[in-house]
Every structure is written in C-alpha cells, then in structure tokens.
Amino acid sequence: MNVYAPDHIFSVSELTRNIKTILEEFFGRIWVCGEISNCRRQASGHIYCTLKDNHSQLSIVFFRSDADRLKFKLQDGLQVNVFGRISVYEKRGNYQFIVERAEPVGYGALQLAFEQLKRKLDQEGLFAAEHKRSLPLFPQRIGVVTSPTGAAIRDILHVLDRRFSTVEVVLYPSLVQGEGAAEQIAEGIRVLDALGNIDVIIVGRGGGSLEDLWAFNEEVVARALFACKTPVVSAVGHEIDFTISDFVADLRAPTPSAAAELVVQEREAVAADVARLRQALARSVSTSLDNLGHRLKSAVSAYAFRRPSDMLVQYEQQLDDIRERTQELQDRFLENLETRSVNLRNRLLAARPERAFSFLGQRLHADGRMLAERLQRALASREAELGGLAAKLDSLSPLAVLGRGYSIAYREPDKTIIRDSSEVSGGDHVRVKLHRGSLACTVNQVEQEGSANG
C-alpha cells in the first residue's frame, strides 16, 4: 500500500508514526545550541527543560541514564550545546529533543561543575575556618587514603621514613580516579576515622588532568571529609591544582610529599630543638640558682642577722613610743569629756528650772479656776433653759388640760375617744377620764346640738 498516494487517508497514529520515522532518519544525532529554561527534574530522575533562542523554543528531555552522567547542574539561563536526537512523543504528537550529553557554552563542563559544587558547599559552611582542626605535634599513627601503587604513597612513605622513621602508617588502598573512585576515597576516610587510634589522615594522589583529579571534587568525598573527626590533610595533584577536598580538609598540602612534611617534623630538627631547649633550661636554672644564692648571701649579711639584739632593742623602743602616744591620747580624750560635762552643768544651773516650774504651776491653777467658773455658769444657763422647756411641755400635756376641769370620754370597750355625740347611742358604756381618776358611765340620752334624742 502506497501511503503517499493522493487518495490515501492517514489515521492520526499512522501519520504521527510516519513523521516520527522521517524526523529521526533525517536528522540523526545532532548538536543544538540554546538557553536552558523551565528546567525541572522529576522523581523518576528524568530532566525536562526548554531550549530556546530569540525566536524559537524546543522541548528537550534528559533520561535518567544520561542525566546521572552530567557533571554540572542544569539551571535556567545556562547557555549549552546539547547532543542528541529528534524524536516524536506519539501520545501527544509533540516532537522533542532527547539529549545524551550537554556542554556549557564558553565553559568546560567539569569546571562549571567544580564552581557550582564549590559555591554550594561554601554556602553550607563546609569551608568555614571555625571547623578547621590543628594537626597533632607528634603523631604516632598516620592514615593514608590513596592508591597503593601510585607515586603518592611512595613519596609519602619516603618522606616519613626520612624525617621520623618510627611513625606508623596505616594505608587504606583506594582508586583515585575513574568510576567508583570517589566512593572508595570517602569510605577510606570513614574507615580510618572509625579506628579511633589514627592521629592524622592524608588523602591524596599525584598530579594529572582535571578529569584525573575529579574524584576529589565529588560531593561524597567532601561530605566524608567534613564529617571526619580526625584531622585530615588534602594532598591532591601539584601545587597549582585545587580541588574541593583542599577547601574542606583541615589543611591543604601542595603535593603528597609536602603533606608528609607538614604532618611529621624532621627527627634531627626535633632533636636540635630539644637540645636547644635543654640548654636554655639549664641556663635558666643556673641563673635562678645564682640569683637565689645572691639573695641568700645578702640576707645573711643583713643588719638584722648580724645584730639581732640591737634590732630587738629597737623594736622595744618603738613599742614604748607607741604605748606612750596611746596614753597621751587617752588622757586628752578624758580631759575633753570632763570639760564638756562641766559646761553642760553650768548651762543647766543658769537656766533655773525650779522658777519655771513655779510659774507654770500658778498659771495652771488660775486656768483651772477660770475653767470651773465657766462650767458652773454654763450649767446654770442650761438648767434655766431646761426649766422653761419643761414648763412649756407641761402646759401642753393632756393632764394639765384635765387639771383645768376638762375630761376625756372613751367608748367601751374599744377605747375610742368620743368627739361627737352621734358616735354613741343610748345604753352604750363609756369611760370618762378626769384629772384624777375616771368614771364608768352608761349613756341614758344622746343630745345633738339644738335637739335631744333618747
């Protein structure tokens, strides 16, 4: 069947599959340059980005197997050359570029990865000076993580033997370049550190290209160095080579030989220092003994030692002087105290307090008499006023009214005062209250004003 015949009708899948085949066969594997944007890594490990320039954009994807080999981190804004192939995602009908490797434009991939990791670890504080530890002055056991067949271990052993042959070396053999080297180096650091009896660790290798030294730029090595409790010296490559390990380790040595020289002092130099210090100590002790001898002689020849009885007499004289001055001060104090007492007594006699007491007594007696007279007058006035008020009260009393011949009639038995003749009827019992005594009466006749009712 000729699918390109004018009358052939494609299905969507058929057309997409043909486009996919044409694109993949036509372009093959190519390089594409552009700027990374919208970069995101999925949980599957695949990386999806957009590669763009001023006019167009292209979807690109790094599958995990290729993404894990990237030495540097893809990030938005990074200009890169990517190598791969055009493909079509049939399910969506989109074409995309499948990347197999990438190189940063104007920058080596390894150099960019170095700068990115260095910036990251620096921000985390792995290079901070406060984490650096001092090397032991006289290490007894030195751990070395390096290749057992490389030049580095030979140089280290040669220097250690020359400078201090009695020091013990514990070697952890490790790959120092290539696949798996970083993991072995990190494991060697952890193993030697865990031994607990290693005084200092040297980690390194001889010189080489950036690719050869790359294991010492891996993050796993940096983390192991930072976590190591034993002081570590990084000795990687030559003097001009710098790796991430150099920044994390407690001390950087320009070469493995230099690391051995930094870790162990030269026996002859140490012996010379000991001899020099011994001589200095001997001189110091001799000088001190001489000074003490001079002081002893001076003390023995002092006046007090030569004439002790004279010194005793002098101290006795001083004691007499002190006793005499003390007695003078005591006498002077008593004399002043007596003078003050006389003055106070004279002032008291001059004041004559008995005259003051007599005058105050007379004044108190006169005031008391005047107060009694005033009280008597006040009582008489109040008695007269009380008598007047009693007379007024007595004139208003109902008994006084009865005394003038009036009487009060009450109706029995409710004791109601009778004010009107209509309030009683014939036969009612009434009581008449007089000035003295009362009368029990029965009403025989009731008379109204102007009439009489029986």
Side-chain angles (χ1 to χ4, degrees), residues 32-38 40 49-60 86 94-97:
V32 181
C33 180
E35 178 184 324
I36 294 290
S37 69
N38 195 24
R40 58 200 185 280
C49 308
T50 299
L51 194 66
K52 66 181 183 180
D53 57 17
N54 293 334
H55 304 287
S56 301
Q57 61 182 24
L58 172 67
S59 296
I60 63 175
I86 291 288
N94 297 335
Y95 78 92
Q96 59 187 5
F97 193 81

Side-chain angles (χ1 to χ4, degrees), residues 18 32 58 67 69 83 99 142 151-152 168 187 207 216 231 260 286 294 338 354 362 384 390 398 424 426 438:
N18 276 270
V32 181
L58 172 67
R69 289 199 299 269
F83 179 79
V99 180
I142 299 173
E168 183 180 355
E187 181 63 16
F216 296 88
S286 177
H294 291 313
E338 184 176 357
E354 68 277 8
Q362 293 175 2
V424 296
S438 60

Side-chain angles (χ1 to χ4, degrees), residues 19-28 85-88:
I19 293 175
K20 173 181 172 71
T21 302
I22 293 171
L23 286 176
E24 291 178 354
E25 290 180 353
F26 179 79
F27 286 101
R85 55 188 173 83
I86 291 288
S87 182
V88 173

Side-chain angles (χ1 to χ4, degrees), residues 39 47 70-76 78 109 112-113 116 120:
C39 184
I47 299 176
L70 275 176
K71 296 297 184 184
F72 62 94
K73 181 181 179 182
L74 286 177
Q75 56 191 23
D76 292 350
L78 187 65
L112 178 59
Q116 288 178 339
K120 173 186 173 183

Side-chain angles (χ1 to χ4, degrees), residues 202-340:
I202 298 174
V203 179
R205 55 152 291 159
S209 65
L210 181 59
E211 289 78 4
D212 295 337
L213 307 181
W214 190 252
F216 296 88
N217 288 323
E218 295 284 1
E219 186 170 352
V220 63
V221 176
R223 300 288 181 191
L225 287 170
F226 187 72
C228 183
K229 296 181 176 59
T230 307
V232 182
V233 178
S234 174
V236 182
H238 301 299
E239 188 165 357
I240 59 173
D241 299 321
F242 277 87
T243 64
I244 296 296
S245 299
D246 296 333
F247 296 104
V248 183
D250 299 296
L251 185 66
R252 173 190 180 264
T255 63
S257 299
E261 293 177 351
L262 290 171
V263 167
V264 174
Q265 300 187 49
E266 194 169 12
R267 178 192 292 271
E268 287 74 12
V270 174
D273 289 342
V274 172
R276 179 176 53 78
L277 292 173
R278 180 179 296 165
Q279 292 176 0
L281 180 61
R283 286 196 300 271
S284 177
V285 171
S286 177
T287 302
S288 298
L289 290 176
D290 292 343
N291 291 334
L292 290 174
H294 291 313
R295 290 179 61 186
L296 180 60
K297 290 180 180 178
S298 177
V300 169
S301 61
Y303 181 80
F305 281 90
R306 288 187 289 107
R307 300 291 299 274
S309 59
D310 291 347
M311 291 295 296
L312 181 60
V313 170
Q314 290 185 13
Y315 284 128
E316 287 178 350
Q317 290 180 348
Q318 291 182 13
L319 181 61
D320 290 339
D321 292 341
I322 293 172
R323 186 181 293 115
E324 186 177 355
R325 286 201 299 272
T326 303
Q327 186 62 43
E328 289 178 355
L329 291 174
Q330 180 179 352
D331 295 343
R332 192 179 304 165
F333 176 75
L334 292 175
E335 183 178 353
N336 291 336
L337 192 62
E338 184 176 357
T339 302
R340 291 181 60 189

